[in-house]
Amino acid sequence: MSDRLSHPIFEKSMKKTHTILIPSMLEFHMQLFESVLIQDGYKVEVLKNYGPSVVEEGLKHVHNDTCVPALLVIGQFIDALKHRDDVDKVVLIITQTGGGCRASNYLPLLRKALKKAGFGFVPVLSLNGSSLEKESSFKLSLSLIRKLVAAIIYGDELMYLYNKTRSYEKNKGDAHNLAKSWFKNLSGQFEKKKGLSFKDIKKNLYQIAESFDKLELDLSEEKPKVGIVGEIYVKYSSLGNNHLEEFLVSQGAEVNVPGLLGFVFYYLHNMVFDYKFYKIGKLKSKICSFLIKFMEKYERVMIDAVSKTKFEPMQKFSHTLTLSEGFLSHATKMGEGWLLTAEMIELVQTGYENIVCTQPFGCLPNHICGKGVMKKIKEVYPDANIVAIDYDPSATKVNQENRIKLMLEIARENIEKRKNQEKEENLAKKQAATTISE
Ligand code: SF4
């Protein structure tokens, strides 16, 4: 316990003795983050405890008005601590974007809940770029940032290609096994201090794309293409969204979840906008502009690697950035802000006109940038078939899934309508050609 503060802090020496517990989210990326941090000398563990006890602990230790992401993350931590016998040798880490919404208060909220549950002695770290509680912030060196960016790029490409193939594989489990073999391969490279230089990343990204391109697929049936957007935790965490991706695939859909790199770009661009709009943070804005350029270099390689395959590559973020114009200002940056709107438009434009917008119940920023713009998106893109689903411990899974099934029904009807229209158009063309030749 520090003299100055009323809560325990993470001391440098704990790097060797304490295990950092990370809440689960983004299955693909977290495995890679875990490997990168271990390679950097940390002891790390991504939590895998799911189930009703997590929700129960969350509801017991935070007010039920609290945002669902906080409730679940805190519930998962407390549930995990209750089942460990090394609680005096663990540290908890949470990510915070800062800004005006309740995410900035997650740290004190977590500490309060820990005290209430009898774990007030456990130090908490915050991963944020907004100078929130500097003494509790996880320090990121330039070299670690570079490695984490590499892990994000690998995670994004693997997640994208996995989703592109898993609904069409001829041999069940092929896509999953391939992704698993890449995690093993990349972790092995990280252990040998490889796989993190630009040259290695480029080589790996091309090989990953090529390996997924070789998977045997059955592309004979047109499946509804569904995009998932929303608040970052419920969008990416199967604990938060009741295993939404699995459910959609089980219903015969192809899924597209926008990558994490987009969120990082969004975060960095917001700092640039802060200076542009309000003249706040000139230095931060310059650093962020530099980081944007740095990451664009990696993004280019990933897109290029995927474009060498039969799969449509992802869009550049510099394009995504422009899509919310005319819908929302770039000054709308609480929660997922303008990114949520831009991602929905990008999905519709790239053929994923069916969208599940995941909303933590009571999340004001996402209700504005998600639900609030749906009417306008549907006016501009009449084919858009968007459903907003609230995620809340009191919301029933059956109800959520029934609403998604309804959206999928409309998606299937739209496929049929399009096919019939194409048939009619082809027939009309043939008849016109016959008439001319006669
Ligand atoms: S984005 Fe929404 S869910 Fe997340 S902290 Fe802010 S208000 Fe809560």
Side-chain angles (χ1 to χ4, degrees), residues 66-70 100-104 106 231-232 334-336 360-366:
T66 307
C67 306
V68 176
C101 82
R102 287 177 272 181
S104 301
Y106 277 12
E231 186 277 338
I232 189 162
M334 268 193 227
E336 272 46 46
F361 181 72
C363 166
L364 184 64
N366 279 261

Side-chain angles (χ1 to χ4, degrees), residues 263-411:
F263 187 82
V264 181
F265 272 130
Y266 160 76
Y267 184 68
L268 295 174
H269 275 287
N270 281 342
M271 305 251 196
V272 177
F273 292 145
D274 273 349
Y275 185 66
K276 188 176 153 193
F277 295 142
Y278 316 113
K279 297 283 170 265
I280 298 171
K282 190 175 180 182
L283 181 64
K284 252 189 191 170
S285 155
K286 280 196 173 160
I287 296 171
C288 289
S289 299
F290 167 78
L291 285 173
I292 290 168
K293 291 255 165 322
F294 170 74
M295 293 194 336
E296 279 177 344
K297 202 169 112 184
Y298 288 84
E299 185 196 37
R300 265 196 302 277
V301 178
M302 174 176 68
I303 292 177
D304 199 46
V306 177
S307 66
K308 297 279 182 291
T309 67
K310 60 178 157 299
F311 310 112
E312 271 296 305
M314 13 347 213
Q315 305 273 311
K316 281 188 186 158
F317 194 81
S318 53
H319 171 70
T320 314
L321 178 70
T322 62
L323 296 176
S324 60
E325 280 164 24
F327 292 83
L328 268 184
S329 156
H330 281 146
T332 318
K333 61 186 186 62
M334 268 193 227
E336 272 46 46
W338 54 266
L339 176 69
L340 177 46
T341 308
E343 282 184 343
M344 284 199 274
I345 298 168
E346 182 174 303
L347 284 164
V348 176
Q349 286 184 351
T350 50
Y352 294 84
E353 65 261 28
N354 312 296
I355 295 173
V356 180
C357 182
T358 59
Q359 309 258 147
F361 181 72
C363 166
L364 184 64
N366 279 261
H367 273 69
I368 293 167
C369 310
K371 264 188 185 165
V373 293
M374 284 176 194
K375 190 167 171 250
K376 175 123 194 230
I377 293 180
K378 285 180 190 172
E379 274 167 22
V380 180
Y381 301 97
D383 286 341
N385 173 25
I386 311 173
V387 61
I389 303 289
D390 282 335
Y391 287 90
D392 179 69
S394 63
T396 67
K397 195 174 178 211
V398 177
N399 191 285
Q400 290 163 344
E401 292 185 349
N402 280 344
R403 295 195 54 226
I404 296 168
K405 280 183 186 170
L406 205 64
M407 181 275 291
L408 287 171
E409 212 36 59
I410 298 170

